[in-house]
Each structure stands twice: as C-alpha cells, then as structure tokens.
C-alpha cells in the first residue's frame, strides 16, 4: 500500500520534535498512531528511518534522505491544492451541454444567466436534441452534462431542476376547447401530432398510456415533429391536437395560438433533470456549475 500524505506529516513532525510522543501531541493523535505511520513508511521504503536515543529519536542516513524529499512532497501537494482552490474559485473554459427541448429552451437559459453573473469566464456550448440522444452523447463523453425530462439511465448523478406537466393543446376554435375538459377517449378520436421517437415528452405519454392499457398505436397519429415549437405551430394551424410541455404551451396559449385543455383521466406529471457525466472534459468548470445548480 502506498504511504498516505498523513504518514509524511507524521514523519516530519517526529523528525522536528525528535520524539514520537511530542509529535503525537502536536498532531492531536495517539503515540500508537505515530508509531504505526512510521512503521508503514519503513515497510514501504524497506529502510529504518529512526534510531532511538536516550533523548528521543534521531534520523538514520535513510531517514535524512526521506526527510529532504518528504518536505518537498508536502510542498508540492500544498502548492497543487492552492492552485486547485484558485481554479475552483475562478473556473474558466467551456461546459458542454446537451438538452432536450423543454429544459434546454425554457430552463437552462435563466440558470446559466444567473451562474455567469458570478463566474464570467465559463462559457456554455448547448446542443438541443431528444432525451435519448442526450444520454448517448453523455455516455460517449461528447458532452459533460445533459438536461432532460426523462431518466433513461439512473446510474448517473442527477439533480432535479424543475417540475413539468404535459398538457393537451388544441386549435383555439376546437370543440374540446369549448368543452373545457377532455378525457383519453376524446384524444383517441382526434388527429394526433406526435413528437419524434426518443423525445422525453413522448416517453412520458407512452408510460401514461401503458398504465391505462393503451399504446401509441391507439392514437391516430398524422405526423411526428422534432420540437414543441413545431408541434404548437401545427396545432395552431388546425392539423390536429397534441400533448406538450405546459411551459411552452402556456406561452402559446397566452399568444392566442392554441388552447390548453385539462385531461381528466391521464397523469402526465414529470420532473426535469440535470445529469452529470462521469468524466467531464473541464472538471473544475463542471463542478462549479453543478454545485451552483445544487445549492
């Protein structure tokens, strides 16, 4: 087993005090701990480091060599720690993020804006794609962090950054808009505009349908689109109805493009996650941003 930093600290203290008992008192440990640390070093270097004398302990020739090197080792370690501390306090570089539509377009911009008020030297490269591809990019190391609405792989470290609800949107003059409420049976009768495969929104809908004994095959899907904005546009133009995130849906409803209709018998609540890769390219900047979000 390689010697620990604490062993070198013990060795230096024993050398300077010329006493195991005084070293123990100075370090706040037992004399037995000091003896164990010195024995571990002697075993590792295969050399006797101290000679016991009536006045205490003295270094052997081998001990003198280690003393000179040990001080330099600790100086290098302390210097490295200081540089790392500075780097953590003032991170710089780029954090690579892949995000699905809802967190990428509606949550990350405000989070990053707040972060950059404190850490101006960190930049962000954000790619908007579906949740499934986000995890693939994270797995290959192409990105450092992903922001998604569906946890495909729960083995990664993650933090919740928001809660979302999927809602039914219909054209403003649609009969369900006038009705003010919809059931799953109503949606099954309508032309449906779907999200692309791999979308977190789509996966949440699949799960909800499965719990009710249905599948996507039961929907009358007329087209699949790659973003909430394109789905909202298609719905507003009267091509069909769809289920999308409530966040962009509210903005579209306020603009008069669509109407939001509550679904009486379908639970479409989900959480939005930030997920960290195992080997980020810029560890200090990623840690800084991760700690900021987790506060």
């Amino acid at each position: 087993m390689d010697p620990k930093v604490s062993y070198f600290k013990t060795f230096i203290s024993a050398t300077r005090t010329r006493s195991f008992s005084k070293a123990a008192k100075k370090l706040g440990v037992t004399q037995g701990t000091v003896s164990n640390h010195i024995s571990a070093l002697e075993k590792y270097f295969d050399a006797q480091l101290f000679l016991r004398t009536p006045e205490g302990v003295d270094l052997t020739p081998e001990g003198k060599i280690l003393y000179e090197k040990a001080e330099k080792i600790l100086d290098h370690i302390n210097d490295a720690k200081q540089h790392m501390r500075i780097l953590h306090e003032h991170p710089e570089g780029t954090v690579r993020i892949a995000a699905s539509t809802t967190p990428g377009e509606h949550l990350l911009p405000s989070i990053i804006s707040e972060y950059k008020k404190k850490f101006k030297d960190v930049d962000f490269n954000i790619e908007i794609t579906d949740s499934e591809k986000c995890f693939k990019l994270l797995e290959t190391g192409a990105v450092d962090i992903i922001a998604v609405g569906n946890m495909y792989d729960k083995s990664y470290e993650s933090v919740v950054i928001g809660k979302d609800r999927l809602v039914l949107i219909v054209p403003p003059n649609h009969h369900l808009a006038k009705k003010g409420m919809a059931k799953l049976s109503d949606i099954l009768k309508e032309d449906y505009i779907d999200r692309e495969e791999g979308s977190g929104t789509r996966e949440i809908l699949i799960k909800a349908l499965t719990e009710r004994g249905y599948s996507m095959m039961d929907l009358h899907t007329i087209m699949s689109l790659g973003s909430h904005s394109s789905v909202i546009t298609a719905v507003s133009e009267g091509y069909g109805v769809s289920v999308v995130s409530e966040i962009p849906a509210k903005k579209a409803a306020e603009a008069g493009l669509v109407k939001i209709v509550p679904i009486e018998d379908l639970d479409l609540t989900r959480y939005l996650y930030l997920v960290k890769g195992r080997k980020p390219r810029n560890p200090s900047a990623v840690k800084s941003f991760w700690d900021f979000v987790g506060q």
Side-chain angles (χ1 to χ4, degrees):
M1 181 178 70
D2 290 346
K4 299 178 181 177
V5 172
S6 59
Y7 295 0
F8 290 112
K9 290 180 179 178
T10 300
F11 170 73
I12 289 173
S13 183
T15 300
R16 291 173 178 172
T17 60
R18 297 186 64 193
S19 167
F20 284 10
S21 60
K22 289 179 181 179
K25 187 175 181 180
K26 184 177 180 180
L27 295 170
V29 298
T30 65
Q31 188 171 336
T33 298
V34 172
S35 296
N36 288 337
H37 286 186
I38 299 304
S39 294
L41 287 173
E42 290 181 329
K43 183 177 180 181
Y44 180 78
F45 289 105
D46 192 23
Q48 184 178 355
L49 301 176
F50 289 101
L51 291 173
R52 293 187 179 275
T53 70
E55 292 78 23
V57 293
D58 284 332
L59 287 174
T60 63
E62 292 89 345
K64 290 178 181 178
I65 293 172
L66 181 59
Y67 179 64
E68 180 185 341
K69 301 298 182 183
E71 284 195 309
K72 291 180 179 178
I73 289 170
L74 290 183
D75 285 343
H76 286 313
I77 290 173
N78 290 330
D79 185 56
K81 281 185 175 180
Q82 181 63 22
H83 278 82
M84 290 178 188
R85 189 177 297 113
I86 293 171
L87 188 61
H88 290 157
E89 291 173 356
H90 305 284
E92 58 184 29
T94 301
V95 175
R96 303 165 302 160
I97 299 179
S100 58
T101 308
T102 301
E105 294 183 354
H106 302 283
L107 291 183
L108 278 182
S110 61
I111 293 173
I112 290 173
S113 176
E114 287 300 310
Y115 171 81
K116 283 186 69 66
K117 288 179 182 178
K118 186 176 181 181
F119 303 101
K120 295 180 172 58
D121 294 326
V122 177
D123 296 318
F124 292 84
N125 185 357
I126 302 176
E127 176 181 350
I128 303 296
T129 185
D130 61 66
S131 294
E132 188 175 5
K133 187 177 179 183
C134 283
F135 273 97
K136 290 179 180 177
L137 291 170
L138 194 67
E139 184 180 352
T140 61
V143 297
D144 307 307
I145 290 174
I146 59 173
V148 293
N150 191 35
M151 284 295 292
Y152 283 91
D153 187 342
K154 295 182 180 180
S155 67
Y156 287 96
E157 184 179 353
S158 65
V159 61
V160 174
I161 57 172
K163 190 175 182 180
D164 187 25
R165 185 166 65 102
L166 304 184
V167 296
L168 176 68
I169 57 171
V170 302
N173 59 351
H174 196 275
H175 69 93
L176 288 177
K178 297 174 184 176
K179 185 179 178 182
M181 182 66 71
K183 292 184 178 181
L184 176 56
S185 57
D186 296 319
I187 301 173
L188 297 177
K189 299 173 186 175
E190 301 293 328
D191 288 342
Y192 187 78
I193 300 168
D194 193 13
R195 283 294 305 276
E196 81 286 4
E197 289 189 16
S199 158
T201 298
R202 190 175 192 273
E203 291 300 319
I204 296 299
L205 178 59
I206 289 173
K207 181 180 177 182
L209 289 173
T210 301
E211 290 173 353
R212 292 293 313 281
Y214 293 91
S215 73
M216 295 298 290
M217 297 294 293
D218 294 304
L219 295 173
H220 186 233
T221 302
I222 59 169
M223 65 177 80
S224 296
L225 300 174
S227 67
H228 285 310
S229 58
S230 58
V231 170
I232 288 170
T233 298
V235 171
S236 70
E237 293 177 357
Y239 293 108
V241 305
S242 189
V243 169
V244 298
S245 166
E246 185 176 34
I247 300 171
K250 278 186 174 181
K251 294 179 181 179
E254 289 169 0
L257 297 175
V258 298
K259 288 286 187 181
I260 295 175
V261 181
I263 307 172
E264 193 175 287
D265 55 352
L266 210 57
D267 180 17
L268 294 169
T269 303
R270 66 170 177 171
Y271 289 97
L272 302 174
Y273 303 89
L274 208 62
V275 185
K276 185 169 68 172
R278 298 185 178 95
K279 293 183 179 180
R281 181 182 293 177
N282 188 338
S284 61
V286 169
K287 183 180 185 303
S288 171
F289 181 63
W290 189 263
D291 291 347
F292 176 83
V293 173
Q295 289 176 354

